[in-house]
Each structure stands twice: as C-alpha cells, then as structure tokens.
Amino acid sequence: MRVPLSWLRDYVDVELTPEQLAERLTLLGMEVQKIERWGADWKDVVVGELLAVERHPHADRLFLTRVTVGAGEPLDIVCGATNIAPGQRVPVALPGAVLPGGRRIERTEKMGVTSNGMLCSGDELRLTADADEILILSDTAPLGAELISLYGDIVLDVDVKPNRGDALSLVGLAREVAAATGAQIRWPETDPVEGGDDIEQRLAVTVEAPDLCPRFVARRLSGVRVGASPDLVQMRLLAAGMRPVSNVVDASNYVMLELGKPIHTFDAAAIAAGTDGRATIVVRRARQDEPLETLDHVRRTLDRETLVIADPERALGIAGIMGGADSEVSETTTDVVVESAIFDPVAIRRTGQRYALRSEASLRFEKGHEVRLARIGADRCARLVAEWAGGDVARGRVDSDSVEPAPSTVTFRPDRVNRLLGTSLSVDEQRALLARVGLESEAAEPDDRVTVALEPQPVVVEPAPGTAITALVPTWRRDIVIEADVAEEVARVRGYDVVPSVLPHTPMPGWRPSPLEVRDAVREMLIGAGLSEVITFALVSPRLHDAFGLRAPVPSVGGEPPPGGDRIEVTNPLSRDHSILRQGLLGSLADVVGTNRRQGRADVAIFEVGKGYGREGDRTREWWRLGVALTGAAEPAAWNRAGRPWDVDDAKGLLELLCRRLGFGEPAYAAERDEPVLHPGRSLRASATGDGGAPTLEAVVGELHPDVVGAWELRAERVVVAEVAVAGLGGGQLTAVRASPPSRHPAVERDLAVVVADDQPAASVVDVIRASGGDLLHSATLFDIYRGAPLADDEKSLAHRLVFAADRTLTEAEIDAAIEGITAAVATELGGRLRA
Amino acid sequence: MDLAGLTEDLHALRDEAIAAARAAASTGDLEQLEVDLLGKKGRLTVVLRGIGSLPAEDRPRVGAIANEVQTAMRSALADAASSLRSRELADRLAAEAVDVTTPGRSIRRGTYHPIVETADRITRIFEQFGFVVYEGPEVEDDLTNFRMLNIPQDHPARDLWDTLYVDVENHLLRTHTSPGQIRVMQSTRPPIRALLPGRCFRYEAVDASHASEFFQVEGLMVDEGTTLADLKGLLDQFAQAMYGRGQRTRFRPGYYPFTEPSVAFDVECLVCGGSGCPACSRTGWMTILGAGMVHPVVLQYGGIDPERYQGFAFGMGVERIANLRHAVTDLRLYMENDLRFLEQFR
C-alpha cells in the first residue's frame, strides 16, 4: 500500500521524520519497504507567474508567453497549451531542468523564437493525469519557489499483511500511527448533503444471492458534471499509485484508498427499469455463458459461479471484480449510482482467479472488511462526487440489510499471554496496550470463556475465577479472535523488544538418529577423493528426463522406496525446462558437465546427493541417490608427471572406497550392455552387500554413450557417470567397526598367474580363487593382465597377488596345498591353467 | 728367510697397505684391498707362510709383529672406509639435490556445495541445543502444506506461496518446510525440538533474488513452557554462531498463518553494520528468518493439546543465510554449478 504522507496527515498528526515513522510502523508489524521522495525527480522546476500570453508570430497553435519567476529578467517561453492567461501561476522548468523520466529541458528555438524553458502540464510532472493543459497553481504559491517544496511528498510503501485488510487504507494506517504515537484519529466527514428526490423513488435493489452478497448499499446523484478531479485529488491518487480518470471514478478510488472500501459507480441512465418503472439493480449469479463487455473492453462469457450486478435485462458488471463497459460513468453521464457492497471473500477470490482479473478492489474484497463500511463508503463517495462534480445527492440509501453487527468480544488470561510471550506484563499494562488499538476491556464475566483455538475442534476453556479479561474488539479488527491473537496484539503494541532473550530450560527430547549421518559420510568421502558437490534442479525437461532415463533403474537398498513408477508432472510449470520431477541424477549431472565444458573447463569431477520422484496412481514416493560425473583428467599433467584421464575404473574405485567407508562388502561387477544412455562396452552394474548379506549398494556405472555426449553438446571425449543407491542415504546410521588385533605371525605372499580365455571376466577368476583358496587365503588382488606370446591369441593371463595368513606361522606345505586347490578349481571351473 | 727379513716384509706390507688404503677411490676398491691383504689367500697370509722356516724361538716374536701389522692394516682400512663413506654420501647427497622451489604435486580435494554446507552449519548449531533432524516429503499433500498450517483453501494468505501443482490428486510441491512441523508432531510427543532441512519449490520466475527451487531449514520446539522469549534466546545464539559473536538482532512483528504471535527476525546489517546502506534498504537491519509461536490450529492438527502445550517454529531460507555469509548477491549462481564459483568454497 502506497501512503502519501501529506494525505495520511488528513487523518492523524505525524510529528516524526519519515524515517522515524517508517521504523515505528515496521516495529508495529506494518513493514515499510520503501520511502519514496515524490517529486525528487524534478530539478529546477519553479513557480512562475504569466505576465503576458500572445500568439506566436509564425505558428497558429503556439503561444509566446512572458513569465516571471521572481528574481531576474522575465523569461520568454513558447507554449502550446490553451488554458493559460496572464496572472496565473504555473510550474516553470528552467533551462537545465530535469523532469520525471530524466527528460532535460534546454533553451530551444521554436519557429524562429527562443524559448527559455517550458511551462509544465500535470502529466509532465507526474502530478496529475492532465497532459494537455498547463498545471495552474494556487495564487498563493510563492514566486520562484522550487516546486518540490510545495508539491513534493513522501510516499511510504507499506507491506500490509493478508490478515490486516483493515490497514489497506489510509484511515487504517492512521490508526496504526495513532497506536504507535498516542495521537488522535481524525475521521473524515462522510455524510453527504442530501437534496432532491428520495432514492427509493428512483432506484430499487434486489439481492437474489445474499450468500454471496450479504449487504448492498446504493446512493444516487443527479445533475452531475463529469470532468477532471481537483488537482489535489489527482496528485494524491497518482502518488498512491492510481491513475486519475474522472471526478466520479476518482471519488470511488479515493474512498477505497481512504477507508479501504471498494466502491463502484454506474451511469444511472444505463440501468434498466423494472416492472414498477424504477431503475432496478439485481445482484444474482450469472447465467451460463451470459455475455458481458467489461471496463477493459474485453467481451467475456460468464459462468454460473460468477456473481453479477445486473439490471432486469442484462449483467452490468462482475461483482467486486470489474464493472461493465455499457454502464461506465462517461463524460455524458449526468446521474450516478454509487454501489458499496459486501461480497463473499472466497467467491471474489475464486472469480478473480477464474477470469485472471485482480484489482485493488478485488484484493480488498478478498480480505473482507467490516459490514458497516458498506454504508459509510456509500455516504463518503456520494459526498465527494457532489463536492467534485456537483449534482444533488438523493435522500437516503437503498440498503439490502441495514443491520450492522455489534463488536465481538475476546476473553484472555493475562497469565497465558505472559506464558506465551515469556514476559511479565501486568494486567493493567496489557489492558492499556490493547486500549491503544481500540480494544477496551474489563474483568471477564463469570460465564465468559477463553477461546484457545477454533479449528479443527474448538478448544474453549473456563478461566479460573478472577484471572481473565474480556475485551471488546473493534469491528474492523476481524483478525482478533483467539487468546493468542491478543498475545500478539499486546506484544506488537508494546514493541517486541519487551520479549526477553533467554535459553530454553524445558526438558530435552530423547536421542534420535540423524537422517544425515550416512549422507554426510558419503559427501565427505567424495570431496576428499577430489569430487565437488553440486545441487541441481529436481524439475527437469521432458527431453532430459527421457534421454537419461534408465531402462532398468538402479534398485533401492536399505529399505528405501523402490525407484520408478510413473513420472510426476507439474501441471502449472514455469517452463517446459522445469516441468518433470526427475527420476535419476544422470541427466542433471551431464547438464552440469556441459555447462562447465562450454565455459572452457577441462576437468569436471562432481557428485550430487539428491532425490528421485515417482508415483503409483495417487501414491507418491521419493528415493535418494548418489550421482557422479567425471570427465577430463583424473590426474592433471604437470611438469613432473603425465596426466591421466578419468575412466570407469576410477568410478569403480570410488564405489570400492565408499563400500570400505560404510562397512559394506566389496562390490561385485557385471557388464551392462543394454542401457541406451551408456557405452555398451564400458558400462557395468555394481552391487555390494552388508554383513547379513542384505544389499547395501546398487549402482550403474559407465561412460556416457558417444551419441548422448554429442546430442547434449557436452564437448567432452568421455564422460564417466554413476548412479548409486546406498543404504542409509535417506536416513541411517554408520555401522560400528568390530575391530580385531593384528596377527603377530607373518603373512605369506604368493603371486599366481592364471591363463584363461580372453573373454573370461576378471571378476569370475578372482571369485574362483577366493572360493577355492581355503581359510588361509586372506586376500587375492589382480595386479597384472598380460596378452601375447607365448599365450594363444584368445588367451590372457591374469596375475594375482595372494596373501595367506593365520594366527600362527604357516608352513610351505599348507600354502602349496592351497595353491593346488586353486589351480584345480581354475582348471575345472574356468578351463584355465597356471602360467608356467 | 730370517727374522729380520720377515719382519721387514711385514712392515713393508703394512706400509704399502696403509698407503693403498688411503689411496682407495671407492668402498668397493677398499673391500677388494681388504681381501687382497687380509683374505684367506691374502698377502699377509702369504707372508706369514714364511714363518715356518724360522727357528722356533723366533716365531712368537713374528707372531706379535704380524698381529701389530694386521691391526695397523685393519685400522687403516677402517679409517679409509669411514672417510670414503662420508665422501661418497656427500657426493650422493650433492647429486640428488633438486630444485626445491618447483610447485608441489597437487592433491585434489573437492568442495562442499555452499547451500548444503550452510544447511549443515545451521543444523549443527541447533543440534547443540538439542534439536534433532527430521525430513519430510517434497511432493506434499495439499492438506499438510496448507490446511493443517491454518492456510485454508481460497484464503488470501495463499498468495504468499505461489505454488507448483502436480498431476497427483491433492498433491503439490511443498512450498516450505513447514508441513514437516505437522509430520513431526504427529509422530512424536513433547518435548519436541525438531529441525527440518530440505528442498522447497515455488512458482516463481527466476532472477537474482528469486528461485523456483530453494532450500529451507525449519525448526520446531514444543513443550508446556516454551515461550517466545526462548525463541528469541535461541535465535540470538544462532545469529552469533552464524555471523559472529556480538551480532545484534531484533524481533519485530511478522505474519504467518501458522504462528501467533508471528515474528520477523532481523540482524543488524552485515554490510554496513547498521548505519544504513542499499543492502538493508537504509534501515540498518536485514531480515534473515520468520518465526513465531505455533498457532493452536497447527498444534491441534499435530495432535497436541493447545491448552496444555505451546511452542515456537522458525523457518529460514538457506540461500538467504548463505548469501549474507558469503557475500553472494545472485541466487542463480547456486544452481548454475559453474565450478569456478563452487570451488571458491574451500
């Protein structure tokens, strides 16, 4: 809400600087987001007086004026406006002046005559909406005075919260200022001077939908002269952010800003008569597909949910949202009907959303306002129209329901207020604070009850005798209903600095495992291994989702929900690029690789711990995954060593490190040839299990398919990626290590080269060695692969280092026996042999 | 051979050996020399073979002389070996010298993402005060995200959360971590001290200060005597832990449907120190989070009696906290993942 200070001062005295006022309002919960100097964009614009106005010698439409600005020689200024005459005081932009929008005024020549500046219109100064005529200033405006000293203003931009619709008005904010400073409110005069006919003779109102329109008040004026509003009104409306339209329309907007009551005005001639001959307004639901051209000249087709203001023949406007073009007040209007109604806030909100129409008026209707404002708003608007546009205000109002609800009460326990706030404010002090915002209070009656909560079940308690206070809530404070509302009001008016700063001394909750424990261990490990963490969007494009989706998703482990199911789509996405909830991390990470490669970054080693999302019907599920992407150099070349690119073995190494860190078994690998996004010859599935044999890690690892690298412009020769399910990533604990003392007996190493068929997976060979090595075999590690003479072309030799150990000294014979067992198994299970 | 001759030979051998030892060029030469002189077939042995031709009474004398000679030779060999080893070591060390001013071999370490790192830091601070971490779903049901937080359908307050909806009935992408409050209360009893970090979504056009996906940390504390003063004390501790000892703070009224009273928590401007600058809109203060006493409606939806219990909740945008901590002014940098940006966060 934009609040011009000069206007606010109509209703309350302010003896603070704008900065002080802003701070006080902010500390009262009415946050001032900006202090704007209205007129700060005028430079060298001063008050001048017209000495002479003559026809321009060479141009029919121009005038040559002579203007004094007090000091110095009078100025000759060329002007195109027709509303000027000698003796008028006008704004003069001197040569070198700057106007709003940065427009500079210089000495110029116009049709052979030098013009020493410019006379300004209201529009050129952004003071009024009038662009054709020169702004005529008051006769008392001091000659030569800078215009900003007369017409400059301060505009506060106040962030009024949705629960305080009452403060979306100058009077409402004046009340807040009064609460802060102790000043008194000046309520504007609202009663119009009535004359002429009784309104009942000229206008009838039928509310057919009282559920959507609890109250409808109308006033009528006749003999109105529609024209421009007084300059001051235009200045105020503009400063408050509304464009002046005409004196009648401006009056309705003025009342909306002043009182917070949206008003609509009709051309009375456009309202058709009913059977009794009187112009008749009908408030009803629209007929299906009923047509209406709204004020913005859009032809709309209404639906039955929409409340309309109609006459007996047709809809005249959408209630609370926008009037109709046909009944708009125009220059030819002489009789005006003022509508001041209460509409159902929810219906207004829904209607506004359905037609995508939101306005200052509908915003206020949505928040709701006190019922009596319907009457007061109609009166005030009629008064202002008569003041600014002349005409007679018909006697009385048409009012569909003139019963105005009495103020409600709220009962509270000052002790509970203190218990909520952690304060020790006395009962009297609390009552005095409430009185500053209009809540008069007294000791509660015996049957008064404290409302702790209204929903979902009412919690209403009987206070101990003598402990409660009952306050009368002003009708405009519809937000004060329960005891906690009173607590906020007490704290707010007193200032939140009344709340002390103490540390909690209430009982601690019991221990609970952190869901972050495993995730943090994984992150820490990968960062130590040289990978940087990234965070990418969970919402991805359909293209990325489809391109990087796995045929066989990485299965979940550790009791996490299974991956996959149908994808979840956003129904109102900001863009297609962010419209699908991802089901894996590979695409997002590839995207980051591409971003960095295109920036000229050679080496990219990244990971993300993030979620996948899916649905089964209306059941949604989310699962955690680790994603890895590696490209460029694993070890960069330096002056003292050659570089080495990232490859799939690095990714496997990371998985093995991960398994060691988390206490999982060593991962087993199997070739993966059927994922379209991956290189068919350089991809694999990895899986590991925990102590009990349950799966603890599942992964797909591989190089991105060259087609994918090309299609996504990753500008990398090879990109190694992995998507990993890790037990505990979504919440779990690190398992404790069961330690054993190191053996005091030396281990024995033997190297064993096994010759097998070239297509025999290395993993199967080491599996056979381990399975057949007996209890003494402590470890078997592949350390060399050899192909070539004297082996056959379709053979390879896999050299393993075997370590035998036991809690005693081993004999050669024992080890020989173990090797013999391995040799036999290699022969029978793999068709292999030892290399001589 | 007579005694004199043999003695002379021995002394000659001794002198020759000492000279040779001194002249040896390497420890290898010296070892060879030792074999030549003192080995089983060495020259000393050869000389001493002549002892057999001496009269028996002379033999002890020759033996004594031979011992002296042998000792002298061994001593000379040892001395020579020692000085040779010193020299050879010095040579080796000299030869092994490198240019120690070359750069070290780089050891790569990755970096934590600043948003996750900041969320971690926030979490650690509150864990010190007994808060335990929970997580809730990101695809949330409408009821928990709004209704149970006292934000009814068609309430104007809904305008505070521009929402992304999904094609699952009654579901949306959570607009804040606050629905986690309901889930925590429904799953545990007071005393509650819960922390809920996580990803949130808004229908928000992305620019330097708006993000469609962002991270929040929610806090919830509920017990019989939990007060707004406790909240203030805790947040004061938090501000100091995050921005330094002595950080000045301020409570002012805020508005959230799910808290009553509601609070905006400000810290003294981290840019200008409170004197007023564009970063703080010249107010000297910056709002870092919203908070308040949990609304009785919310407590009830959480299954908690609002007459017996009360509590506070707070929620902060991790990006906001990180921006102020790291002098970042454009939110988009966080999701862009340009490593030149991320790697600054060592």
Side-chain angles (χ1 to χ4, degrees), chain A residues 572-591:
Chain A
N572 60 331
L574 284 143
S575 76
R576 265 179 81 72
D577 285 349
H578 300 289
S579 58
I580 306 277
L581 276 172
R582 66 183 173 192
Q583 299 201 307
L585 301 173
L586 296 184
S588 306
L589 291 177
D591 205 35

Side-chain angles (χ1 to χ4, degrees), chain A residues 350 413 419 455 501 613, chain B residues 138 147 154 224 236 307:
Chain A
R350 286 187 181 157
R413 295 158 293 181
R419 180 152 78 94
E455 295 171 67
S501 177
Y613 312 78
Chain B
E138 293 168 26
R147 185 73 201 88
D154 298 310
E224 292 184 9
D236 280 347
E307 173 62 2

